[in-house]
Amino acid sequence: MHRRVYIALFTAVFAATMGVGFIGPLLPLYARDLGAAGLSLGLIFSGFSVARFIFMPIIGRLSDRFGRKPFIVIGLALFAGFSLAYLKVDSIWGLIAVRTLHGAASGMVVPVAQAYVGDIAPKGREGRMMGTFMVSLFTAFGIGPLLGGPLADRFGLGAPFYAMGALTGVALILALLFLPELG
């Protein structure tokens, strides 16, 4: 059972992180089209991280108390929704808001998935499992931008946002199907 759970967690974090990588290099172009410059660009990019900074400890504590699966599932659902919300934004402030909310959703997925891996790791193999699990994060950050650019070139600037939403939707389905709530 732990192998299936590990694969579902690995895939969920990989998919969500790769989606963020898809849009990372394209976000300044998208923001520029809305009229962003200087401070507003900084707010767009820092909003994601600031939201994670605020929400990760809170969500982590809540997941310790109420279980991991609900936070991963809700986080992935919100993450997928905010992936598509970027496409509806028509102002700089709207983009800042979506980016910040997207960061909050991300803060519900990655650290809780890491905690879940710690929960299922066999005694004495916690470091090894966490080390291999982190491959999902950093590989996705590396691959995402390489794929996001060509997606946008071939299918338009909205394509990476749709792809991010679709990938996260797949991760949500995997989490719903394969993550038991640990008791």
Side-chain angles (χ1 to χ4, degrees):
M1 173 186 78
H2 290 314
R3 181 173 169 79
R4 183 179 65 188
V5 170
Y6 179 83
I7 290 169
L9 291 167
F10 188 100
T11 303
V13 169
F14 182 84
T17 306
M18 188 157 57
V20 171
F22 282 171
I23 68 165
L26 303 169
L27 205 51
L29 301 174
Y30 193 69
R32 185 192 62 205
D33 289 347
L34 293 172
L39 178 60
S40 57
L41 277 172
L43 290 171
I44 291 164
F45 276 89
S46 66
F48 189 89
S49 296
V50 168
R52 286 178 57 124
F53 170 80
I54 292 168
F55 282 97
M56 286 187 346
I58 296 166
I59 297 300
R61 189 170 34 257
L62 290 172
S63 79
D64 288 342
R65 186 169 178 196
F66 298 110
R68 311 272 187 234
K69 183 176 179 173
F71 292 97
I72 293 171
V73 167
I74 292 167
L76 287 169
L78 290 171
F79 198 103
F82 291 128
S83 298
L84 301 176
Y86 283 97
L87 298 168
K88 300 293 184 189
V89 168
D90 60 359
S91 71
I92 294 166
W93 289 109
L95 185 55
I96 292 167
V98 167
R99 183 75 174 157
T100 301
L101 292 168
H102 196 210
S106 172
M108 294 179 76
V109 176
V110 176
V112 178
Q114 288 175 294
Y116 203 134
V117 169
D119 292 342
I120 65 170
K123 183 91 172 126
R125 295 192 50 195
E126 299 90 350
R128 180 179 179 179
M129 281 190 75
M130 192 57 68
T132 58
F133 182 73
M134 294 307 291
V135 168
S136 67
L137 189 73
F138 294 108
T139 302
F141 269 136
I143 292 172
L146 289 173
L147 298 176
L151 267 174
D153 286 344
R154 177 84 167 112
F155 301 106
L157 196 53
F161 295 94
Y162 285 116
M164 178 172 52
L167 277 174
T168 309
V170 169
L172 173 60
I173 292 167
L174 289 174
L176 286 167
L177 293 175
F178 297 112
L179 292 183
E181 188 52 70
L182 300 177

